[in-house]
Amino acid sequence: MKKQLATLLLLIGAMTIQAQQSAESQWLDIDYVGDNIEGHKLDIYLPSVKKDSYPAVVLIYGSAWFANNAKKMAFDSMGKQLLDAGFAVVSINHRASVEAKYPAQIHDVKAAVRYVRANADKYKIDPSFIGITGFSSGGHLSSLAGTTNGVKTMTSGDVTVDIEGNLGDYTSASSDVNAVVDWFGPIDMSRMENCNTTKGADSPEAMLIGGAPADNLDMIKLLNPMTYIDANDPKFIVIHGDADPVVPYCQSEYFAEALKKNGNLVEFITVPEGQHGPVTFNEGTFKKMADFFVEQARKVTGK
């Protein structure tokens, strides 16, 4: 498992942009649940251009759900692009699959969004717009956050999952997100092996759900963001390299098609020869992400 995580982070990090971020203010290691768990901390960065408040984008790292503290890596990857576009950047940790099984990770994401919305004045954030983005497993969690706006529980067969959770002190605040950018996220774990079937009992998704995917198809369905697509969902951009050696490109094809049918897909961006980070992370795709969030925020805030 450690080897899988190291390989994944190496692939993602190969195109990480290391830059000194220019931020007006920053708050690090905020405990968004209040339990002092490493996976329940977040960082907030504000742009250097001073305003009364800023729309926000939540950022989630990729780690095959194995890591509980990679928020700095995620910020170093794409934080500058979001800051330069005028967004407060909220880079979050979530619990690792080795310490908590699904749906713990989406509970964490929703608790982080609720915390930010409830404490918006403290951090100069405009709570009317909170976008979300992430890469690899972070793309999955970002997508799941978007398609589960307003969803409390969901059932498949004999399995019922609590999607919202009740973590933290701000359970009355909304966990809805207003726009999503999915970077090469795994979506349908029933078709992760050769775009056809499940992976084995040693796969990252098996660790996440606590069992072999083939033996837990109802849970695999409840892990799939496409299961929840409805009229409450925000707009999406999906970005994937067609040479990705980790998450099959077909995963984003499936997802983009489902979003398009529901009217929620703004753009599906295919990066020729794009890998799991390298080539796919580039100036053009970062600009696409930033421009999309700017457009969606303007629709909500009027600014």
Side-chain angles (χ1 to χ4, degrees), residues 11-132:
L11 281 166
I12 292 172
M15 281 299 292
T16 293
I17 296 176
Q18 299 290 342
Q20 182 64 42
Q21 307 299 333
S22 177
E24 177 191 18
S25 302
Q26 61 184 39
W27 296 266
L28 306 180
D29 289 327
I30 300 166
D31 187 346
Y32 63 84
V33 171
D35 55 11
N36 202 34
I37 290 176
E38 193 66 39
H40 288 159
K41 294 183 180 179
L42 60 79
D43 300 334
I44 297 175
Y45 304 83
L46 299 185
S48 58
V49 176
K50 297 193 175 191
K51 293 184 178 179
D52 292 336
S53 65
Y54 307 85
V57 174
V58 173
L59 178 55
I60 310 177
Y61 54 80
S63 69
W65 309 281
F66 287 145
N68 68 359
N69 184 8
K71 54 186 171 62
K72 182 60 164 59
M73 179 269 285
F75 178 68
D76 286 342
S77 296
M78 57 181 66
K80 182 180 188 300
Q81 290 78 11
L82 294 167
L83 284 175
D84 288 349
F87 292 95
V89 177
V90 182
S91 193
I92 73 170
N93 284 343
H94 61 75
R95 284 171 289 175
S97 59
V98 295
E99 59 186 333
K101 302 308 176 190
Y102 177 79
Q105 291 71 27
I106 192 62
H107 289 174
D108 296 347
V109 173
K110 288 180 177 287
V113 174
R114 292 194 302 264
Y115 176 90
V116 170
R117 191 164 267 123
N119 292 277
D121 288 346
K122 179 178 180 180
Y123 301 111
K124 299 181 70 174
I125 287 173
D126 180 347
S128 67
F129 183 88
I130 299 179
I132 193 165

Side-chain angles (χ1 to χ4, degrees), residues 99-260:
E99 59 186 333
K101 302 308 176 190
Y102 177 79
Q105 291 71 27
I106 192 62
H107 289 174
D108 296 347
V109 173
K110 288 180 177 287
V113 174
R114 292 194 302 264
Y115 176 90
V116 170
R117 191 164 267 123
N119 292 277
D121 288 346
K122 179 178 180 180
Y123 301 111
K124 299 181 70 174
I125 287 173
D126 180 347
S128 67
F129 183 88
I130 299 179
I132 193 165
T133 187
F135 42 87
S136 194
S137 60
H140 165 262
L141 290 173
S142 297
S143 297
L144 190 60
T147 62
T148 59
N149 275 0
V151 176
K152 302 302 181 183
T153 65
M154 182 66 80
T155 299
S156 176
D158 295 329
V159 180
T160 297
V161 167
D162 172 9
I163 293 295
E164 183 71 25
N166 60 359
L167 292 175
D169 296 329
Y170 304 101
T171 54
S172 62
S174 172
S175 65
D176 286 1
V177 293
N178 301 100
V180 184
V181 176
D182 165 30
W183 295 81
F184 45 87
I187 299 297
D188 184 354
M189 262 57 80
S190 72
R191 294 184 283 181
M192 272 291 283
E193 183 68 30
N194 297 319
C195 301
N196 182 53
T197 189
T198 58
K199 284 187 173 289
D202 60 346
S203 63
E205 52 266 36
M207 177 65 73
L208 182 65
I209 65 172
D215 298 331
N216 295 274
L217 292 178
D218 285 326
M219 185 60 83
I220 287 298
K221 184 176 181 180
L222 295 171
L223 183 63
N224 185 344
M226 293 191 293
T227 297
Y228 306 89
I229 292 176
D230 63 24
N232 293 320
D233 299 343
K235 298 297 185 182
F236 279 72
I237 280 185
V238 177
I239 305 172
H240 210 133
D242 64 10
D244 192 324
V246 179
V247 175
Y249 171 74
C250 61
Q251 289 289 304
S252 287
E253 289 184 304
Y254 302 146
F255 192 36
E257 181 181 2
L259 290 169
K260 186 177 181 179

